[in-house]
Amino acid sequence: MPVKSVRSVLCAALLVLLALVTALPGHAQGSAGGAMPLPSDQAFQLTATRLADGNVRLAWTIAPGYYLYQDQFALRQGQADLEVPPIEGMPRQKDDPTFGVTNVYHDRAALTVPLARGPVTLEVHYQGCQENGICYPPATRHINGVTLAVSAPGDHATTALAGQWSAPEPPKPSGAIVIAENDGGMVGSLLAQGGVPMLLGSFMLFGLLLAFTPCVFPMYPILAGTIARQGEVPTAGRGFTLSLAYVLAMASAFGLLGVAAAWSGQNLQMALQSPLAIGVVSVLFLVFALSMFGCSRCNCRPPGSRASAASAAAGAAPCPPLPFSASPRRSSSAPA
Amino acid sequence: MTGLSRRHALLAIGGAILAAPFTGRRALAQSDDLSKEMILNDPAAPIGGNPKGDVTIVAFLDYNCIYCKKSAPELDRALKEDGKVRLVYKDWPVIRPTSIDGAKLALGAKYQGKYEAAHRALMAIPGAGISKEKMRKALQAAGIDMQRLDADMQARSAEIEAIVRRNMAQADALGLTGTPTFLVGPFMVSTLDYKGFRQVIADARAEQSDGTQ
């Protein structure tokens, strides 16, 4: 494969990776809860219909994410409690360590009761909850024996007081990484403790510690090769200069990556763990490996070249990040 | 919404008072009960968290409400870690007939300075439809002086009933659909996890600081 073709493949792969990284939305961490639960009559829509045999069928259409308790259906007519007939529908057992075992109906429930055609009122009681939301007080609805109209007796009037509070807006995908104020992050606490010297000193210390993590080991032979090049006598001064050049190049490479990450406004850690990103990087490594076997004529320079720092940076990229990364969070949602 | 349990509860806690004719004075008092001030700063309401906190959460809760029980430890953690949130407890016993017993027991414990201990003990009983006996056992296990509790509940019954009645009226005026409901600054939310509480507290704080600038 000609060198130009290899370069264009690599460029294309990098562009795909960059596009992928910038296109992925940031993920909000945490949730401030969405809209308030539906009113009871919307969560559990009750209808009554007269069947051919004269009985009345009560049917509940249950909104997604809501359920009715099997043991909370009750019927009354006049002063008498009526026996609740078998409920039609698919009861599901909820077995929660906090709540115990309960049978509930999702989607729909129905029952059929005898109800005379006349000026009688059937009182229907039922109770349900919104999954992981609220539990409703027991609902009482009246069914008119003539019209089969469903009515709610004595609903409480909401006053203007209700307008004083509103549901927060659902979380929006944030376009930028926002560093949470006083989030207990290491940078903030170091600054608070000892100012900039403390911050720089700590970075230096953690940087040194990072040099002893296994994922930095691949860089050692690169640096050793740079210092002890063939045919040259290494001296302390030359070693220091070469090391400094190498370290500065490495730091610049990581610095530029950091700037690019911040500029993208995305949570790159999450984006780079996507299957597509991992796939693209795997292909890149495969291409590099093939070139080492001589399958392609990529003009790889010997250790000590300008490219070594960048390739070492790529080799160290899968290492765990320093514990300084600011935690991204979504912007505070502005209420309506 | 008038439910079976609410009717029982109302009958149990204040039939005589409700049956009494509404005088002009009572009507005026009731309208005061439904003010924002009384929702946030009812002097009789138990207070938790940091009483001098910059954000107030008003929690409408029931001791038979499973999601109140689920969110209670999450809220506790969020409050403890934030340290600057004031929590106003509103016992709103609407879920099951024994909810009123739970509310009265918890409010009764307030007079021995153990409302929050009682609240946590009652919220820690799993499930709905908890019997009064089970609630009493949980309170006893939590170190509540039961003799004193019974005495306080008897001596202060009118006061306790007034608090519950006021909470019910406030919840109705707010158009609350069920429990738990939390008023967090200007926001109204239901069940949240720890992160959700932290987020809405941060949002409320930001909203309040915007409003004061």
Side-chain angles (χ1 to χ4, degrees), chain A residues 101-271:
Chain A
V101 179
T102 45
N103 285 328
V104 300
Y105 290 93
H106 290 268
D107 305 324
R108 56 177 288 278
L111 55 86
T112 304
V113 285
L115 181 64
R117 294 174 199 265
V120 289
T121 299
L122 177 70
E123 207 173 289
V124 186
H125 301 274
Y126 52 94
Q127 188 176 26
C129 294
Q130 178 198 31
E131 196 79 56
N132 285 317
I134 65 158
C135 284
Y136 292 83
T140 302
R141 295 293 178 267
H142 288 175
I143 313 292
N144 185 297
V146 180
T147 62
L148 296 185
V150 180
S151 60
D155 250 355
H156 296 275
T158 302
T159 69
L161 199 59
Q164 302 270 340
W165 285 273
S166 61
E169 281 187 358
K172 289 182 213 160
S174 170
I177 292 176
V178 179
I179 297 172
E181 289 172 26
N182 302 324
D183 67 341
M186 193 175 277
V187 173
S189 60
L190 286 172
L191 272 174
Q193 282 171 24
V196 174
M198 175 73 136
L199 184 66
L200 290 178
S202 302
F203 265 81
M204 181 76 188
L205 179 69
F206 282 111
L208 283 173
L209 290 176
L210 193 66
F212 298 103
T213 55
C215 48
V216 183
F217 290 172
M219 295 188 217
Y220 292 175
I222 300 174
L223 183 58
T226 307
I227 296 168
R229 279 195 296 189
Q230 210 173 9
E232 290 183 23
V233 182
T235 62
R238 182 172 174 75
F240 178 77
T241 315
L242 286 171
S243 301
L244 187 68
Y246 179 81
V247 166
L248 285 177
M250 278 287 294
S252 304
F254 273 114
L256 286 171
L257 286 172
V259 169
W263 200 8
S264 74
Q266 307 298 324
N267 186 343
L268 296 192
Q269 275 181 311
M270 291 173 81

Side-chain angles (χ1 to χ4, degrees), chain A residues 29-34 36-40 67 69 71-72 76 94 96-100 123 125 127 129-141 153-162 164-169 329-335, chain B residues 1-7 10 34-36 39-40 58 64-70 92 94-96 125-128 170 172-193 195-197 199-200 202-203 206-207:
Chain A
Q29 296 190 342
S31 157
M36 283 303 288
L38 294 172
S40 177
Y67 60 84
Y69 285 109
D71 61 358
Q72 294 298 311
R76 281 173 69 87
K94 274 178 80 75
D96 189 297
T98 319
F99 313 150
E123 207 173 289
H125 301 274
Q127 188 176 26
C129 294
Q130 178 198 31
E131 196 79 56
N132 285 317
I134 65 158
C135 284
Y136 292 83
T140 302
R141 295 293 178 267
D155 250 355
H156 296 275
T158 302
T159 69
L161 199 59
Q164 302 270 340
W165 285 273
S166 61
E169 281 187 358
R329 63 184 277 269
R330 72 177 182 82
S331 306
S332 288
S333 59
Chain B
M1 187 185 302
T2 303
L4 194 62
S5 71
R6 174 173 303 179
R7 201 168 51 230
L10 283 172
L34 301 183
S35 66
K36 189 175 180 181
I39 288 174
L40 296 174
V58 184
N64 277 314
C65 154
I66 54 176
Y67 295 119
C68 301
K69 296 180 178 186
K70 197 167 193 173
W92 185 34
V94 287
I95 299 299
R96 296 285 166 88
I125 308 172
Q170 288 172 353
D172 286 339
L174 285 165
L176 303 191
T177 46
T179 56
T181 299
F182 303 97
L183 309 178
V184 187
F187 302 118
M188 186 185 283
V189 295
S190 60
T191 301
L192 292 177
D193 59 4
K195 275 187 179 176
F197 278 121
Q199 184 65 60
V200 76
D203 289 350
E207 184 69 12

Side-chain angles (χ1 to χ4, degrees), chain A residues 29-49:
Chain A
Q29 296 190 342
S31 157
M36 283 303 288
L38 294 172
S40 177
D41 281 327
Q42 286 177 33
F44 315 108
Q45 289 179 42
L46 172 61
T47 53
T49 46

Side-chain angles (χ1 to χ4, degrees), chain A residues 294-321:
Chain A
C295 297
S296 67
R297 287 181 293 164
C298 179
N299 184 19
C300 294
R301 299 180 186 198
S305 70
R306 278 171 294 171
S308 67
S311 58
C319 291

